[in-house]
Amino acid sequence: MANANPELLKWLNECLARGHSAENLSRSALASGWHADVVRVTVAEALGEQLVAERPGAPVSRSGNLPEPELDRSANYVDTPDRRVAVWSVMQHPRVVVFGNVLSEGECDELIALAQPKLARSLTVDNRTGGDEVNSARTSDGMFFNRGENPLCERIERRLAALVRWPYENGEGLQVLRYRHGAQYVPHHDYFDPAQPGTPRILARGGQRVGTIVMYLKAPEQGGATTFPDVGFEVAPVKGSAVFFSYARPHPDTRTLHGGAPVLAGEKYVATKWLREREFV
Ligand code: PD2
Ligand code: ZN
């Protein structure tokens, strides 16, 4: 396999940081005379991916720099230290894996009960100022636990760390959201926009977000799917199941735009785990 070229890699990293898409940069590099194999390998390195074969269209093996479950043997389940988790759906780009049986019914109910007293109008981090604000794009109510705040949170967080092979310490504390009738979360990206002035302050606590796990604690009777509009994919909110997705860089070409569709009947509760590049402090 060709090696990544340091000069090309430096240029790619600079352009990616300025917001150019990998597709356009590959085209420019080819037009400038770089060999196709060198471009492919170097772009993959810049995106934090690792190619395993030279065949055009060969599968991309995800290396240790992104959260990723162990699915190499087309596993239908993943064993974590305390629970066997089912693999329900797998998508390559965006990288999305839907898991069943991540939490027991009792764990879902207990987490809701622990969150209940602290549920208030949802806050999202304001990436213009780095502070909290009420966000009209999210009409749910929410609260955050600290990482390891109680034995249930710690058990679930250690299970998730094993599930996607990402350090426990790199996880933010669990967030619990309650969506009442009509509530929704309009499509957004979970990474922090590098162009916003408040982002450096947020990144100081552990770098970028590189992955998300949304666990369904209570299923509404109708509506409330987690949607991925770029690829027309929807995940039904089934109690105890979860959707995981990862993003190698903070850019829409990761196709990780996602939202919570309006709840049309009943009530929906989720717990979200965000995964950072480094230890979250
Ligand atoms: O509750 C959801 O389906 C949902 C959708 C989009 C949750 C989040 N984003 C999130 O917590 O980031
Ligand atoms: Zn989200």
Side-chain angles (χ1 to χ4, degrees):
M1 191 187 303
N3 288 322
N5 179 284
E7 184 194 339
L8 182 59
L9 183 61
K10 182 166 175 293
W11 176 77
L12 284 169
N13 281 330
E14 285 164 4
C15 296
L16 288 168
R18 287 202 297 271
H20 295 282
S21 76
E23 284 83 350
N24 282 342
L25 294 172
S26 298
R27 265 195 292 276
S28 301
L30 291 169
S32 313
W34 288 98
H35 191 283
D37 287 346
V38 174
V39 172
R40 193 163 52 85
V41 171
T42 312
V43 168
E45 180 157 333
L47 293 176
E49 298 170 342
Q50 193 180 59
L51 296 175
V52 287
E54 277 201 36
R55 272 182 300 116
V60 169
S61 142
R62 288 167 173 81
S63 52
N65 53 16
L66 275 183
E68 173 65 12
E70 161 75 288
L71 302 176
D72 292 349
R73 290 180 303 281
S74 297
N76 294 328
Y77 56 82
V78 177
D79 279 322
T80 71
D82 68 341
R83 196 167 177 85
R84 175 165 283 192
V85 171
V87 177
W88 282 356
S89 303
V90 177
M91 188 179 279
Q92 298 297 337
H93 185 49
R95 185 49 165 177
V96 179
V97 182
V98 183
F99 294 109
N101 196 40
V102 176
L103 304 177
S104 70
E105 298 231 332
E107 287 173 330
C108 293
D109 298 342
E110 199 186 327
L111 203 51
I112 290 174
L114 288 169
Q116 207 75 57
K118 293 192 235 168
L119 281 170
R121 184 82 202 275
S122 288
L123 298 172
T124 49
V125 176
D126 181 346
N127 55 15
R128 281 166 300 144
T129 63
D132 279 346
E133 64 162 2
V134 173
N135 186 336
S136 57
R138 191 158 84 179
T139 46
S140 53
D141 308 304
M143 58 77 66
F144 274 96
F145 289 107
N146 292 319
R147 187 175 62 229
E149 179 167 327
N150 54 56
L152 177 65
C153 284
E154 175 159 5
R155 186 169 81 231
I156 293 171
E157 290 170 325
R158 293 209 179 273
R159 185 182 304 157
L160 298 177
L163 181 63
V164 299
R165 295 182 295 175
W166 200 246
Y168 168 83
E169 291 75 19
N170 293 21
E172 297 180 30
L174 290 175
Q175 175 201 233
V176 173
L177 293 178
R178 171 182 59 196
Y179 297 78
R180 293 183 154 141
H181 180 256
Q184 63 177 313
Y185 199 169
V186 300
H188 59 275
H189 295 95
D190 282 353
Y191 54 73
F192 302 109
D193 181 351
Q196 293 295 332
T199 294
R201 203 181 115 197
I202 299 167
L203 300 189
R205 296 188 69 187
Q208 264 293 354
R209 288 177 174 161
V210 290
T212 304
I213 305 169
V214 178
M215 294 166 281
Y216 303 103
L217 306 179
K218 182 175 182 193
E221 275 101 66
Q222 207 190 337
T226 303
T227 61
F228 291 81
D230 288 343
V231 287
F233 184 59
E234 292 194 358
V235 181
V238 176
K239 185 173 182 176
S241 69
V243 57
F244 158 75
F245 50 99
S246 64
Y247 21 102
R249 64 197 192 93
H251 195 281
D253 73 5
T254 55
R255 301 188 191 165
T256 54
L257 185 71
H258 65 288
V263 168
L264 303 176
E267 215 182 23
K268 169 186 167 190
Y269 277 81
V270 301
T272 303
K273 180 76 174 170
W274 285 295
L275 308 168
R276 296 289 191 107
E277 290 174 284
R278 297 183 288 281
E279 180 175 359
F280 178 71
V281 290

